[in-house]
Amino acid sequence: MASWKVKHKSSGTPGTLNMGKPHIFEFETYQDMHACRDVINKAFAYCESLKSNSVLQTWSYASRFSEKISNELQILHKELVQSKVQKMNFWSRRKELLGKYSIGKWKQRVGLMASSIKPSTDGRTNRVTFNLTPEIIFQIFNERPAVSQAFLNYVPSKMTEKDFWTKYFRAEYHYSTKNTAVAEAEAAEDEVLSVFLKPDEILAQEARPKIRRVDPSLDMVADQGDDYSHTMDLVEPQNDQFGRRSLSQDINRHSATVLEDRCIDVESDDSRTIAEALTLAKQDVESDDSRTIAEALTLAKQVSKATKDAYQERLEKLSRAIVMEDLKEPQNFSFVPLSTKDPRDYFESQQGIVLNEPRVTWDSKRNVHDAYRSLKEPVVQIRTKGLSAPFINPEVSFKVLSELTQTISDANTLNGKNQPESVLDRLPKSMKHDILHHWALIQELLRHFWSSYPITSTYLSTKVGRLNDAMLNIDSQLEAMKEPVRSDIRHEVSSPVCSMQKVSFFRYIDKEFYVMNQIVDGS
Amino acid sequence: MFNKTLLVIEVSLSLVNNTQASILAGNFAKCSDSNLAGHWRRRKKMIFKIEDVTVYFPYDNIYPEQYEYMVELKRALDAKGHCLLEMPTGTGKTIALLSLITSYRLSRPDSPIKLVYCTRTVHEMEKTLGELKILHDYQLTHLGAQAKILALGLSSRKNLCVNSKVLAAENRDSVDAACRKRTASWVRALAAENPNVQLCDYFESYEKAADNALLPPGVYTLEDLRAFGKNRGWCPYFLARHMVQFANVIVYSYQYLLDPKVAGIISKELQKESVIVFDEAHNIDNVCIEALSVSVRRVTLEGANRNLNKIRQEIDRFKATDAGRLRAEYNRLIEGLALRGDLSGTDQWLANPALPNDILKEAVPGNIRRAEHFVHVLRRLLQYLGGRLDTENVEKESPVSFVSSLNSQAGIEQKTLKFCYDRLHSLMMTLEITDTDEFLPIQTVCDFATLVGTYARGFSIIIEPYDERMPHIPDPILQLSCHDASLAIKPVFDRFQSVVITSGTLSPIDLYPRLLSFNPVVSRSFKMSMTRDCICPMVLTRGSDQLPVSTKFDMRSDPGVVRNYGKLLVEMVSVVPDGVVCFFVSYSYMDGIIATWNETGILKEITQQKLVFFETQDVVETTLALDNYRRACDCGRGAVFFSVARGKVAEGIDFDRHYGRLVVMFGVPFQYTLSKILLARLEYLRDTFQIKEGDFLTFDALRQAAQCVGRVIRSKADYGMMIFADKRYSRHDKRSKLPGWILSHLRDAHLNLSTDMAIHIAREFLRKMAQPYDKTGTMGRKTLLTQEDLEKMAETGVQDMVY
């Protein structure tokens, strides 16, 4: 393709292509321009579709969340979108937020099994046809590393891809018709064909280290060591080199690859790239393993440490299998069932436990610092000495954790949010609901507010203005809500909401607005 | 994991605020753990009296059946007799057994008994020793030094060796050989002159330490032994073998007591005051029979011929270089000892395959004293066996007639045959052969010769030109099969004070004493005290189309049955969460039915719900498949495992908790009834023990079925369903042979189900199991006893409290 420059300013040179968007492309000649027009058009069309897609995706994300959350979203949407925030903005912010929760994109792949590829016949001639797609090729390579290896070795240096696959399916066909005698005869003459017919050597090599990592309760190989009555069965040479692969082995292999869940990032129809990517992916996993082991060794500075860890792990596994939980005394911990409906209940119940314990009233600030200092010490130690088994003394961590919980609950008591009756609980139900609703609204508004920082355009400044209005509106609503409430808690009604508002919002908004106005006026 | 946390710390130094929380969170769990442990130690575990014995039990509570089990066991120990105890899996047999026997030992300090605990698998061995460790720690805290014992596991070199070069070998025999190549006495003598000869450092330093090489008291699993050996630089295998004579508790495989080849070298010196325990002993008769059976194939004979050629060459070489050695051997044989008595441990090979009482202690017959002559005799033997393998019909013969025809046709006398094994062993020692794994074929032939020369009763020789199931492939096999399980176990019963045979499935319990011909002083079957109905057995007789299902010979290939079985599984995998295990009656049946399911798309429907794994005849592949199966159960919608009754998986692998919520037994796992060996055994059982053929076959099939379905439940907190999918299970004569603990949960309404009804019951059951329950028992039945309960029981009598 001809070289071309992208400029954002239009100029009088001959090849100017104005796409009606804020992009103007400048070309050396007209020919170049014509050549590129299609490409650019396509690119823009693609970008457009992406944008609308992203909104749709956000919706689908939202619908994945539980009913309740999406209900809230709908209310928020209704409240905000019409007046205060533009629709696009609302969803793009949401998408970013939700993006954090989604586990990451993964494609659903079709469940194929390499051996289940059936030929089609036309019914008249003796011809069988196999249809190959990149997915099938990927699956074959994944389930049979030896085939993948053979492909890399032989194609295209020794044979064409077509020949390779013809040979492969020839061998497969012999299998499926259980015609092993023919297969053996052909394999004896043909090196490549024999690769397909023999049991997979690469898999066999991989099996050995895997066996060592197997859970000891499954280690049937170890049992062979004590079995003296089947001595001869063990050494019996397995002379049937070919035709030993059975359906059950194939299915085992297939399920194992499903579990491995090996993905490659290659979107390609080229078999060779697929094969290479697969080998790479596998090497990555292996080298990852070896690297982490190597790191562990150097860090621990003791070779025996790693084996000791493995030993420890085996011991733990064993002891878990041994101990009969039933026979132990039931351990009655005070616990609150974790419910995602209202996380506050869970959080506060923890503080309740702390509060029930007798406590000397200290200056809580000093305690936090104390706790922090005691934590700092081991951290410094770790830096100098490296890790040792419990890297932080249990007593220290317990102290720190209980101290923090204590501090939080103290703070809550001061704020009047103490157990068992928080301010919110003392209010009528509808009001509590309203306050929570406002709280969510303000959060959303604040998000938008901060995302429009720094204010560089008039568009943003009007947006901020709108947000400000909305905020003030909520404030007045809150004031109205306070009216009927008892005087002693009147202040506290708005305090959880207002503190948030005041701290972050108004303090800045006035200042910024002033500055902004200055700039806008000045220009 | 280790280095990951380290990375977190590195980061935390710059972002203290952020990571504080995560470190704290991690340690909080640890902290509460250690608090818990302290708490747990402070709490009183159980000490109670059974008559005059103070029993130490390392838990806070005890199941009533465990207590009863101990009471019965103590009666047997007091009577110095043998006993037979059946108790369901998951009720803590092992810990009950261990704590009673060790406590019994402590209460009789003047005549300490030794405990020999036999398990089927290495994993069970490790588990038993792990439980003993907990118990031992508890006894130590209570009694101090007087409770100290030495307990160890023993296995083959393959599982104990720590020399990486030796371990590189593939199987047991090559590991053994690789060890001999470095440790045999003549190799070590050679190494003294020639520094290039490779030795094993671990063995050398073990030898150097000589009598000081001892294990301090404690409980050693195989893992611990290896760790100890590596640490000290001593060979763990020879150390363990040496320590067997001092140990108070030995845990090893059945074969180490029952197979005379192994028992002859390992268990020779055990004292009479020992308690022998066979755990999971429901198949003990088969182990006994296999220990005395030998089979010879074409490949064996070919290999043996090659071995003889090699031996012949060696003899010639020695004649040229060191004729004195052969002469010395000849002189020794005249003196009447086949083997020198002072063989060092490393030179020992497998001992004589015949039982100790039947081995002749006399001079080796003159015609095989000379090495060449012996080789000639073996050649003639091989030739004769080769000729017999050429048969076109199945032949069955008694050892007596076989020996007489061998005498008339090949001129080998019975007495000569009897000495074959020891003579071969002596010769190989003289020729300084270390790669013993290469000589397995000739060893097998000599095994055969010695056994056939020794035993006239309880054996038969069966020659089959091909496998019945594959008549078109010639695969001749000559088998010396033992029919009498009591032969191999008789020396054990005679030699030791108490033998305990125990398992979850020993029903019908009166059959075992007849099969093994012994008189137990105690023989009891215990029920399981359940807090809730955590097992749900069902008999499925019809498919969803109401047609009967069965694996009966005339029905098994019926497409309707295959389809109905498939539909059952398809429906079940969509209802049952996590793991599902299926057992088939044989490999060939499984392969057939899977192929059909694959063609008809049933398999595809199953894979839409769960991943599918198979047991194959290859142990390595099966192990990996099991590992993957467990991972699939851990992390997703679960998996289905297809396995075979009588296979290795059915014998030794647990599918507890979410690894098995449903087990389906497709068909009744009868033995292949046309097998000549089985027919010969049935005939023998009928003539000798008056056990009817049908009875034995049903008993055998049902114990296998019970074994398969029993895999699914390993503790009382566990739950699982069992489906017996065959119409024959609804018949009383079949069903009644199931163990009592399964029968007591088999309701009449569940005896004749079709697929849709079974699905309905499964749904109900799973819902019920999801509810919380009270562990200590409801409705007046106590299922967990505390120390106070036991003390009360001692006053009022046992029966009032239990059940």
Side-chain angles (χ1 to χ4, degrees), chain A residues 222-223 226-227 232 252 255 311 314 326-327 329 372 379 383 387 392, chain B residues 6 13 20 23 27 43 60-61 63 122 159 172 224 256 612 614:
Chain A
D223 297 337
D226 286 328
D227 190 358
M232 269 313 284
N252 274 344
S255 301
Y311 171 62
R314 271 181 91 122
D326 276 25
L327 296 181
E329 201 63 29
Y372 174 63
V379 173
R383 183 151 231 193
L387 277 182
I392 289 177
Chain B
L6 193 75
L13 292 172
Q20 249 176 358
I23 298 170
N27 259 280
R43 198 177 281 155
D60 309 297
N61 297 305
Y63 293 138
V122 172
N159 294 333
R172 196 233 358 263
D224 296 333
Y256 285 54
V612 175
F614 285 88

mmCIF file of all heavy atoms in Angstrom, chain A residues 222-223 226-227 232 252 255 311 314 326-327 329 372 379 383 387 392, chain B residues 6 13 20 23 27 43 60-61 63 122 159 172 224 256 612 614:
data_model
loop_
_atom_site.group_PDB
_atom_site.id
_atom_site.type_symbol
_atom_site.label_atom_id
_atom_site.label_comp_id
_atom_site.label_asym_id
_atom_site.label_seq_id
_atom_site.Cartn_x
_atom_site.Cartn_y
_atom_site.Cartn_z
ATOM 1 N N ALA A 222 2.474 -47.168 42.274
ATOM 2 C CA ALA A 222 3.258 -47.583 43.433
ATOM 3 C C ALA A 222 2.861 -48.979 43.896
ATOM 4 O O ALA A 222 3.695 -49.749 44.371
ATOM 5 C CB ALA A 222 3.077 -46.584 44.569
ATOM 6 N N ASP A 223 1.586 -49.313 43.734
ATOM 7 C CA ASP A 223 1.121 -50.625 44.195
ATOM 8 C C ASP A 223 1.754 -51.760 43.421
ATOM 9 O O ASP A 223 1.897 -52.863 43.932
ATOM 10 C CB ASP A 223 -0.398 -50.723 44.068
ATOM 11 C CG ASP A 223 -1.095 -49.709 44.943
ATOM 12 O OD1 ASP A 223 -0.460 -49.272 45.918
ATOM 13 O OD2 ASP A 223 -2.238 -49.357 44.656
ATOM 14 N N ASP A 226 4.644 -53.864 44.963
ATOM 15 C CA ASP A 226 4.501 -54.940 45.941
ATOM 16 C C ASP A 226 3.789 -56.156 45.377
ATOM 17 O O ASP A 226 3.533 -57.114 46.090
ATOM 18 C CB ASP A 226 3.711 -54.424 47.151
ATOM 19 C CG ASP A 226 4.552 -53.500 48.000
ATOM 20 O OD1 ASP A 226 5.775 -53.726 48.047
ATOM 21 O OD2 ASP A 226 4.005 -52.569 48.604
ATOM 22 N N ASP A 227 3.447 -56.095 44.128
ATOM 23 C CA ASP A 227 2.655 -57.174 43.557
ATOM 24 C C ASP A 227 3.566 -58.215 42.923
ATOM 25 O O ASP A 227 4.038 -58.038 41.811
ATOM 26 C CB ASP A 227 1.699 -56.583 42.516
ATOM 27 C CG ASP A 227 0.692 -57.610 42.061
ATOM 28 O OD1 ASP A 227 0.790 -58.758 42.536
ATOM 29 O OD2 ASP A 227 -0.176 -57.275 41.256
ATOM 30 N N MET A 232 5.240 -61.881 35.775
ATOM 31 C CA MET A 232 5.435 -62.069 34.346
ATOM 32 C C MET A 232 4.563 -61.139 33.515
ATOM 33 O O MET A 232 4.944 -60.722 32.442
ATOM 34 C CB MET A 232 5.147 -63.526 33.955
ATOM 35 C CG MET A 232 6.356 -64.426 33.998
ATOM 36 S SD MET A 232 7.796 -63.716 33.205
ATOM 37 C CE MET A 232 7.350 -63.944 31.493
ATOM 38 N N ASN A 252 -10.392 -40.244 26.939
ATOM 39 C CA ASN A 252 -9.579 -39.761 28.056
ATOM 40 C C ASN A 252 -8.750 -38.572 27.640
ATOM 41 O O ASN A 252 -8.661 -37.571 28.341
ATOM 42 C CB ASN A 252 -8.631 -40.862 28.531
ATOM 43 C CG ASN A 252 -9.283 -41.777 29.531
ATOM 44 O OD1 ASN A 252 -10.314 -41.444 30.090
ATOM 45 N ND2 ASN A 252 -8.699 -42.924 29.747
ATOM 46 N N SER A 255 -10.891 -35.439 27.081
ATOM 47 C CA SER A 255 -11.322 -34.788 28.315
ATOM 48 C C SER A 255 -10.160 -34.085 28.987
ATOM 49 O O SER A 255 -10.320 -33.012 29.565
ATOM 50 C CB SER A 255 -11.914 -35.822 29.271
ATOM 51 O OG SER A 255 -13.002 -36.463 28.680
ATOM 52 N N TYR A 311 6.880 -32.309 50.206
ATOM 53 C CA TYR A 311 6.704 -33.331 51.225
ATOM 54 C C TYR A 311 5.625 -32.895 52.213
ATOM 55 O O TYR A 311 4.713 -33.642 52.559
ATOM 56 C CB TYR A 311 8.049 -33.540 51.912
ATOM 57 C CG TYR A 311 8.051 -34.403 53.145
ATOM 58 C CD1 TYR A 311 7.679 -35.741 53.065
ATOM 59 C CD2 TYR A 311 8.446 -33.891 54.374
ATOM 60 C CE1 TYR A 311 7.693 -36.530 54.192
ATOM 61 C CE2 TYR A 311 8.465 -34.675 55.500
ATOM 62 C CZ TYR A 311 8.084 -35.991 55.406
ATOM 63 O OH TYR A 311 8.084 -36.771 56.523
ATOM 64 N N ARG A 314 2.230 -33.118 50.700
ATOM 65 C CA ARG A 314 1.739 -34.500 50.681
ATOM 66 C C ARG A 314 1.254 -34.900 52.061
ATOM 67 O O ARG A 314 0.227 -35.539 52.220
ATOM 68 C CB ARG A 314 2.861 -35.439 50.232
ATOM 69 C CG ARG A 314 2.933 -35.629 48.744
ATOM 70 C CD ARG A 314 4.044 -36.596 48.408
ATOM 71 N NE ARG A 314 3.544 -37.958 48.351
ATOM 72 C CZ ARG A 314 3.641 -38.716 47.275
ATOM 73 N NH1 ARG A 314 4.190 -38.272 46.189
ATOM 74 N NH2 ARG A 314 3.185 -39.956 47.283
ATOM 75 N N ASP A 326 -15.825 -36.118 62.158
ATOM 76 C CA ASP A 326 -17.025 -36.427 62.934
ATOM 77 C C ASP A 326 -16.739 -36.591 64.416
ATOM 78 O O ASP A 326 -17.526 -36.206 65.261
ATOM 79 C CB ASP A 326 -17.615 -37.762 62.461
ATOM 80 C CG ASP A 326 -18.479 -37.563 61.263
ATOM 81 O OD1 ASP A 326 -18.241 -36.569 60.565
ATOM 82 O OD2 ASP A 326 -19.369 -38.394 61.043
ATOM 83 N N LEU A 327 -15.612 -37.245 64.681
ATOM 84 C CA LEU A 327 -15.356 -37.651 66.053
ATOM 85 C C LEU A 327 -14.783 -36.527 66.906
ATOM 86 O O LEU A 327 -14.692 -36.647 68.105
ATOM 87 C CB LEU A 327 -14.387 -38.840 66.067
ATOM 88 C CG LEU A 327 -14.937 -40.093 65.416
ATOM 89 C CD1 LEU A 327 -13.947 -41.215 65.499
ATOM 90 C CD2 LEU A 327 -16.226 -40.512 66.104
ATOM 91 N N GLU A 329 -14.751 -32.868 68.673
ATOM 92 C CA GLU A 329 -15.768 -32.035 69.294
ATOM 93 C C GLU A 329 -16.205 -30.971 68.286
ATOM 94 O O GLU A 329 -15.374 -30.389 67.607
ATOM 95 C CB GLU A 329 -15.155 -31.374 70.526
ATOM 96 C CG GLU A 329 -16.140 -30.886 71.542
ATOM 97 C CD GLU A 329 -16.954 -32.018 72.149
ATOM 98 O OE1 GLU A 329 -16.462 -33.161 72.234
ATOM 99 O OE2 GLU A 329 -18.081 -31.728 72.533
ATOM 100 N N TYR A 372 0.309 -0.597 63.752
ATOM 101 C CA TYR A 372 1.036 -0.419 62.504
ATOM 102 C C TYR A 372 2.532 -0.639 62.722
ATOM 103 O O TYR A 372 3.199 -1.299 61.930
ATOM 104 C CB TYR A 372 0.766 0.971 61.958
ATOM 105 C CG TYR A 372 1.598 1.291 60.750
ATOM 106 C CD1 TYR A 372 1.443 0.535 59.576
ATOM 107 C CD2 TYR A 372 2.545 2.302 60.765
ATOM 108 C CE1 TYR A 372 2.211 0.801 58.471
ATOM 109 C CE2 TYR A 372 3.308 2.571 59.663
ATOM 110 C CZ TYR A 372 3.146 1.820 58.513
ATOM 111 O OH TYR A 372 3.896 2.070 57.419
ATOM 112 N N VAL A 379 7.720 -6.710 58.520
ATOM 113 C CA VAL A 379 7.866 -6.415 57.100
ATOM 114 C C VAL A 379 9.310 -6.036 56.800
ATOM 115 O O VAL A 379 9.909 -6.482 55.827
ATOM 116 C CB VAL A 379 6.900 -5.288 56.682
ATOM 117 C CG1 VAL A 379 7.175 -4.868 55.251
ATOM 118 C CG2 VAL A 379 5.459 -5.746 56.814
ATOM 119 N N ARG A 383 12.233 -8.080 54.541
ATOM 120 C CA ARG A 383 13.068 -7.456 53.524
ATOM 121 C C ARG A 383 14.535 -7.837 53.721
ATOM 122 O O ARG A 383 15.250 -8.099 52.763
ATOM 123 C CB ARG A 383 12.906 -5.938 53.618
ATOM 124 C CG ARG A 383 13.692 -5.228 52.550
ATOM 125 C CD ARG A 383 13.021 -3.952 52.200
ATOM 126 N NE ARG A 383 12.834 -3.842 50.790
ATOM 127 C CZ ARG A 383 12.492 -2.716 50.182
ATOM 128 N NH1 ARG A 383 12.256 -1.649 50.883
ATOM 129 N NH2 ARG A 383 12.332 -2.685 48.887
ATOM 130 N N LEU A 387 11.833 -14.675 53.396
ATOM 131 C CA LEU A 387 10.637 -15.235 54.030
ATOM 132 C C LEU A 387 10.984 -16.426 54.892
ATOM 133 O O LEU A 387 11.835 -17.229 54.556
ATOM 134 C CB LEU A 387 9.647 -15.669 52.962
ATOM 135 C CG LEU A 387 8.759 -14.579 52.399
ATOM 136 C CD1 LEU A 387 7.823 -15.180 51.393
ATOM 137 C CD2 LEU A 387 7.975 -13.932 53.520
ATOM 138 N N ILE A 392 4.448 -13.626 59.059
ATOM 139 C CA ILE A 392 4.168 -12.652 60.114
ATOM 140 C C ILE A 392 3.653 -13.421 61.314
ATOM 141 O O ILE A 392 2.820 -14.306 61.183
ATOM 142 C CB ILE A 392 3.136 -11.607 59.663
ATOM 143 C CG1 ILE A 392 3.786 -10.690 58.632
ATOM 144 C CG2 ILE A 392 2.656 -10.773 60.826
ATOM 145 C CD1 ILE A 392 2.873 -9.682 58.051
ATOM 146 N N LEU B 6 5.793 -14.189 48.170
ATOM 147 C CA LEU B 6 6.967 -13.358 48.330
ATOM 148 C C LEU B 6 6.855 -12.115 47.474
ATOM 149 O O LEU B 6 7.174 -11.020 47.887
ATOM 150 C CB LEU B 6 8.207 -14.143 47.949
ATOM 151 C CG LEU B 6 9.457 -13.422 48.401
ATOM 152 C CD1 LEU B 6 9.613 -13.590 49.897
ATOM 153 C CD2 LEU B 6 10.653 -13.926 47.671
ATOM 154 N N LEU B 13 6.117 -3.346 50.193
ATOM 155 C CA LEU B 13 7.010 -2.392 50.809
ATOM 156 C C LEU B 13 6.783 -1.001 50.249
ATOM 157 O O LEU B 13 6.969 -0.013 50.937
ATOM 158 C CB LEU B 13 8.456 -2.834 50.587
ATOM 159 C CG LEU B 13 8.770 -4.115 51.360
ATOM 160 C CD1 LEU B 13 10.120 -4.634 50.996
ATOM 161 C CD2 LEU B 13 8.680 -3.858 52.854
ATOM 162 N N GLN B 20 -1.293 -4.448 53.375
ATOM 163 C CA GLN B 20 -1.489 -4.773 54.785
ATOM 164 C C GLN B 20 -2.668 -5.704 54.960
ATOM 165 O O GLN B 20 -2.570 -6.743 55.590
ATOM 166 C CB GLN B 20 -1.794 -3.492 55.542
ATOM 167 C CG GLN B 20 -0.684 -3.081 56.465
ATOM 168 C CD GLN B 20 -0.996 -1.757 57.100
ATOM 169 O OE1 GLN B 20 -2.017 -1.146 56.818
ATOM 170 N NE2 GLN B 20 -0.128 -1.315 57.947
ATOM 171 N N ILE B 23 -2.057 -9.323 53.782
ATOM 172 C CA ILE B 23 -1.189 -10.095 54.679
ATOM 173 C C ILE B 23 -1.974 -10.468 55.928
ATOM 174 O O ILE B 23 -1.970 -11.605 56.381
ATOM 175 C CB ILE B 23 0.048 -9.282 55.094
ATOM 176 C CG1 ILE B 23 0.876 -8.931 53.872
ATOM 177 C CG2 ILE B 23 0.887 -10.060 56.084
ATOM 178 C CD1 ILE B 23 1.972 -7.937 54.165
ATOM 179 N N ASN B 27 -2.971 -14.124 57.436
ATOM 180 C CA ASN B 27 -2.489 -14.615 58.711
ATOM 181 C C ASN B 27 -3.575 -14.806 59.735
ATOM 182 O O ASN B 27 -3.399 -15.533 60.689
ATOM 183 C CB ASN B 27 -1.456 -13.650 59.268
ATOM 184 C CG ASN B 27 -0.092 -14.182 59.029
ATOM 185 O OD1 ASN B 27 0.347 -15.039 59.768
ATOM 186 N ND2 ASN B 27 0.537 -13.728 57.967
ATOM 187 N N ARG B 43 -8.232 -29.871 75.134
ATOM 188 C CA ARG B 43 -9.436 -30.644 75.374
ATOM 189 C C ARG B 43 -9.080 -32.104 75.641
ATOM 190 O O ARG B 43 -8.128 -32.631 75.097
ATOM 191 C CB ARG B 43 -10.331 -30.561 74.152
ATOM 192 C CG ARG B 43 -11.730 -30.938 74.466
ATOM 193 C CD ARG B 43 -12.539 -30.753 73.231
ATOM 194 N NE ARG B 43 -12.876 -29.358 73.025
ATOM 195 C CZ ARG B 43 -13.137 -28.862 71.829
ATOM 196 N NH1 ARG B 43 -13.028 -29.619 70.769
ATOM 197 N NH2 ARG B 43 -13.474 -27.613 71.692
ATOM 198 N N ASP B 60 -12.439 -37.063 70.526
ATOM 199 C CA ASP B 60 -13.310 -36.658 71.642
ATOM 200 C C ASP B 60 -14.532 -37.553 71.756
ATOM 201 O O ASP B 60 -15.133 -37.680 72.798
ATOM 202 C CB ASP B 60 -13.786 -35.219 71.439
ATOM 203 C CG ASP B 60 -12.630 -34.298 71.155
ATOM 204 O OD1 ASP B 60 -11.783 -34.177 72.042
ATOM 205 O OD2 ASP B 60 -12.565 -33.749 70.048
ATOM 206 N N ASN B 61 -14.885 -38.134 70.628
ATOM 207 C CA ASN B 61 -16.075 -38.980 70.612
ATOM 208 C C ASN B 61 -15.732 -40.303 69.951
ATOM 209 O O ASN B 61 -14.710 -40.440 69.288
ATOM 210 C CB ASN B 61 -17.188 -38.310 69.817
ATOM 211 C CG ASN B 61 -17.617 -37.021 70.453
ATOM 212 O OD1 ASN B 61 -17.977 -36.994 71.617
ATOM 213 N ND2 ASN B 61 -17.550 -35.945 69.683
ATOM 214 N N TYR B 63 -17.739 -43.679 67.811
ATOM 215 C CA TYR B 63 -18.972 -44.289 67.315
ATOM 216 C C TYR B 63 -19.272 -45.529 68.152
ATOM 217 O O TYR B 63 -18.344 -46.256 68.518
ATOM 218 C CB TYR B 63 -18.811 -44.732 65.865
ATOM 219 C CG TYR B 63 -18.638 -43.627 64.859
ATOM 220 C CD1 TYR B 63 -17.713 -43.752 63.845
ATOM 221 C CD2 TYR B 63 -19.416 -42.479 64.905
ATOM 222 C CE1 TYR B 63 -17.550 -42.763 62.895
ATOM 223 C CE2 TYR B 63 -19.257 -41.490 63.958
ATOM 224 C CZ TYR B 63 -18.327 -41.625 62.955
ATOM 225 O OH TYR B 63 -18.172 -40.642 62.026
ATOM 226 N N VAL B 122 -0.402 -49.188 48.584
ATOM 227 C CA VAL B 122 0.598 -48.343 49.236
ATOM 228 C C VAL B 122 -0.082 -47.164 49.926
ATOM 229 O O VAL B 122 0.298 -46.763 51.017
ATOM 230 C CB VAL B 122 1.616 -47.852 48.196
ATOM 231 C CG1 VAL B 122 2.539 -46.827 48.804
ATOM 232 C CG2 VAL B 122 2.405 -49.016 47.661
ATOM 233 N N ASN B 159 9.580 -48.350 45.756
ATOM 234 C CA ASN B 159 8.908 -47.311 46.536
ATOM 235 C C ASN B 159 9.760 -46.752 47.657
ATOM 236 O O ASN B 159 9.357 -45.803 48.309
ATOM 237 C CB ASN B 159 7.603 -47.856 47.125
ATOM 238 C CG ASN B 159 6.605 -48.172 46.055
ATOM 239 O OD1 ASN B 159 6.629 -47.581 44.982
ATOM 240 N ND2 ASN B 159 5.736 -49.128 46.321
ATOM 241 N N ARG B 172 9.349 -52.490 38.728
ATOM 242 C CA ARG B 172 9.886 -53.009 39.964
ATOM 243 C C ARG B 172 11.123 -53.862 39.741
ATOM 244 O O ARG B 172 12.147 -53.699 40.401
ATOM 245 C CB ARG B 172 8.815 -53.835 40.678
ATOM 246 C CG ARG B 172 9.139 -54.081 42.114
ATOM 247 C CD ARG B 172 9.112 -55.523 42.597
ATOM 248 N NE ARG B 172 8.740 -56.555 41.682
ATOM 249 C CZ ARG B 172 7.538 -57.075 41.588
ATOM 250 N NH1 ARG B 172 6.566 -56.590 42.298
ATOM 251 N NH2 ARG B 172 7.306 -58.068 40.758
ATOM 252 N N ASP B 224 8.422 -40.907 55.189
ATOM 253 C CA ASP B 224 9.337 -40.571 56.289
ATOM 254 C C ASP B 224 10.629 -41.354 56.183
ATOM 255 O O ASP B 224 11.716 -40.842 56.445
ATOM 256 C CB ASP B 224 8.683 -40.881 57.641
ATOM 257 C CG ASP B 224 7.470 -40.020 57.898
ATOM 258 O OD1 ASP B 224 7.428 -38.910 57.350
ATOM 259 O OD2 ASP B 224 6.566 -40.469 58.620
ATOM 260 N N TYR B 256 3.532 -59.817 51.361
ATOM 261 C CA TYR B 256 4.713 -60.030 52.185
ATOM 262 C C TYR B 256 4.483 -61.123 53.220
ATOM 263 O O TYR B 256 5.415 -61.616 53.827
ATOM 264 C CB TYR B 256 5.124 -58.716 52.867
ATOM 265 C CG TYR B 256 5.799 -57.759 51.913
ATOM 266 C CD1 TYR B 256 5.185 -57.396 50.730
ATOM 267 C CD2 TYR B 256 7.062 -57.240 52.174
ATOM 268 C CE1 TYR B 256 5.791 -56.528 49.839
ATOM 269 C CE2 TYR B 256 7.678 -56.374 51.289
ATOM 270 C CZ TYR B 256 7.026 -56.026 50.125
ATOM 271 O OH TYR B 256 7.639 -55.175 49.239
ATOM 272 N N VAL B 612 -15.879 -37.036 30.501
ATOM 273 C CA VAL B 612 -15.913 -38.492 30.596
ATOM 274 C C VAL B 612 -14.490 -39.036 30.686
ATOM 275 O O VAL B 612 -13.612 -38.624 29.930
ATOM 276 C CB VAL B 612 -16.626 -39.076 29.373
ATOM 277 C CG1 VAL B 612 -16.565 -40.584 29.395
ATOM 278 C CG2 VAL B 612 -18.061 -38.619 29.328
ATOM 279 N N PHE B 614 -12.049 -42.819 31.497
ATOM 280 C CA PHE B 614 -12.129 -44.277 31.470
ATOM 281 C C PHE B 614 -10.997 -44.918 32.240
ATOM 282 O O PHE B 614 -9.882 -44.403 32.275
ATOM 283 C CB PHE B 614 -12.024 -44.769 30.030
ATOM 284 C CG PHE B 614 -13.263 -44.559 29.233
ATOM 285 C CD1 PHE B 614 -13.474 -43.386 28.559
ATOM 286 C CD2 PHE B 614 -14.216 -45.553 29.164
ATOM 287 C CE1 PHE B 614 -14.623 -43.186 27.830
ATOM 288 C CE2 PHE B 614 -15.364 -45.358 28.439
ATOM 289 C CZ PHE B 614 -15.574 -44.174 27.769
#
